[in-house]
Amino acid sequence: TSPRSTNEDNYVAQKFARTVMQTNNVDTSSNVRPELVSPLQEMLGYPAATNSIWELEKSSCLLVVSSNMTEEHNVLAIPIKEAVKNGSSLLVIDQRETEITRHATVWLRPKPESESTLIGGILRVILDETLEDHDFISNQCDHYVEFKNSLSAFDLVKVEQITGIPKKDIQKAARLFAKNKPSAILYALETLPESQREDCVKALINLSLITGNVGIESSGLYPLIPGANEQGAKDVGCSPSHLP
């Protein structure tokens, strides 16, 4: 099916495949990066963005990870630029000088394939400086102790060596994200190899969770999947593994 089709057309297509052709082999043609959403299903329970687009206008801090947003997701760039114009902070993690970097409060350019390490360093700063949301973690999160112990590997000196990002810049980004709620994360992971995307998404989900930026307005996670209506196609059942 096509991500440019309506939900109704896509629903009919998967219905025909399953009831007439007797097969679950139906998918949408733009579903080329399923690893952007599968960790959301695993960790949060639903494989889609947690909030609506226009809530971003009121986000206090926005983190954009490896996305040439104004080229690939230009509608999403509008509320982001509006938020920045109104005083919100914009953090960008990308080696490329995309158009959105011109609006960034902090632009981090890690060495290729070191994005997950950089996010691990940001998580480590938040815990070291006790910037996490203790109430949210105690009420909503499982396995926090194991997660906290896993961050012992992300010593900032080592993170700086691996990523090429100075320690002070990692600390600045961590403080901006943790202290300015609500904060939202948008990610396409266009510069990462497929083998690294899932781990990076899990790290970003953890970043949202430990700062309490899930389940409140203008916060959350936005996977920037390629197709215009890929999410709608999946919602109506154009997926080999899920019914409508």
Side-chain angles (χ1 to χ4, degrees):
T1 64
S2 170
R4 291 193 171 97
S5 295
T6 64
N7 287 351
E8 291 78 8
D9 285 347
N10 283 331
Y11 175 82
V12 170
Q14 67 83 31
K15 186 78 167 178
F16 181 86
R18 288 187 160 107
T19 60
V20 178
M21 299 175 70
Q22 297 291 302
T23 179
N24 285 315
N25 291 333
V26 57
D27 207 339
T28 187
S29 60
S30 63
N31 188 23
V32 293
R33 277 184 267 167
E35 61 276 0
L36 295 187
V37 296
S38 53
L40 293 170
Q41 172 78 61
E42 177 188 341
M43 297 173 71
L44 301 180
Y46 185 60
T50 60
N51 295 59
S52 66
I53 290 172
W54 298 104
E55 288 183 26
L56 293 169
E57 286 186 328
K58 297 181 180 177
S59 299
S60 297
C61 184
L62 300 134
L63 170 60
V64 176
V65 185
S66 185
S67 171
N68 189 0
M69 184 165 292
T70 44
E71 293 290 330
E72 302 293 334
H73 304 89
N74 53 356
V75 174
L76 268 169
I78 297 170
I80 290 175
K81 290 178 180 178
E82 190 67 26
V84 172
K85 189 170 73 175
N86 292 330
S88 299
S89 298
L90 173 61
L91 314 177
V92 177
I93 297 175
D94 207 319
Q95 296 89 16
R96 307 163 298 176
E97 186 176 358
T98 60
E99 195 274 341
I100 201 72
T101 60
R102 300 174 196 170
H103 307 269
T105 311
V106 176
W107 174 23
L108 304 178
R109 306 177 73 173
K111 293 177 183 177
E113 302 185 21
S114 67
E115 286 86 351
S116 293
T117 302
L118 174 57
I119 296 159
I122 291 172
L123 289 164
R124 175 70 182 266
V125 172
I126 289 171
L127 290 188
D128 285 350
E129 300 187 5
T130 60
L131 300 175
E132 68 268 40
D133 188 326
H134 299 282
D135 291 339
F136 183 87
I137 291 167
S138 60
N139 293 327
Q140 303 290 341
C141 300
D142 295 326
H143 310 299
Y144 177 64
V145 174
E146 295 94 318
F147 162 74
K148 190 173 182 178
N149 292 338
S150 73
L151 291 179
S152 60
F154 293 92
D155 175 75
L156 281 197
V157 174
K158 185 191 294 185
V159 171
E160 181 175 345
Q161 292 171 346
I162 293 171
T163 65
I165 303 295
K167 178 179 175 179
K168 62 180 178 56
D169 292 342
I170 299 172
Q171 292 169 326
K172 182 178 180 180
R175 291 163 187 158
L176 278 172
F177 189 87
K179 291 180 178 181
N180 291 284
K181 288 179 72 172
S183 296
I185 299 173
L186 304 97
Y187 60 92
L189 309 190
E190 294 163 353
T191 60
L192 273 73
E194 181 181 350
S195 60
Q196 293 189 13
R197 290 180 196 143
E198 188 167 318
D199 284 343
C200 192
V201 175
K202 289 179 178 179
L204 292 171
I205 295 171
N206 282 326
L207 179 56
S208 275
L209 288 172
I210 69 162
T211 54
N213 279 298
V214 175
I216 59 174
E217 187 178 354
S218 303
S219 68
L221 296 126
Y222 295 77
L224 305 182
I225 49 183
N229 192 32
E230 182 181 316
Q231 189 60 53
K234 289 179 176 178
D235 287 345
V236 299
C238 294
S239 164
S241 55
H242 291 96
L243 295 171

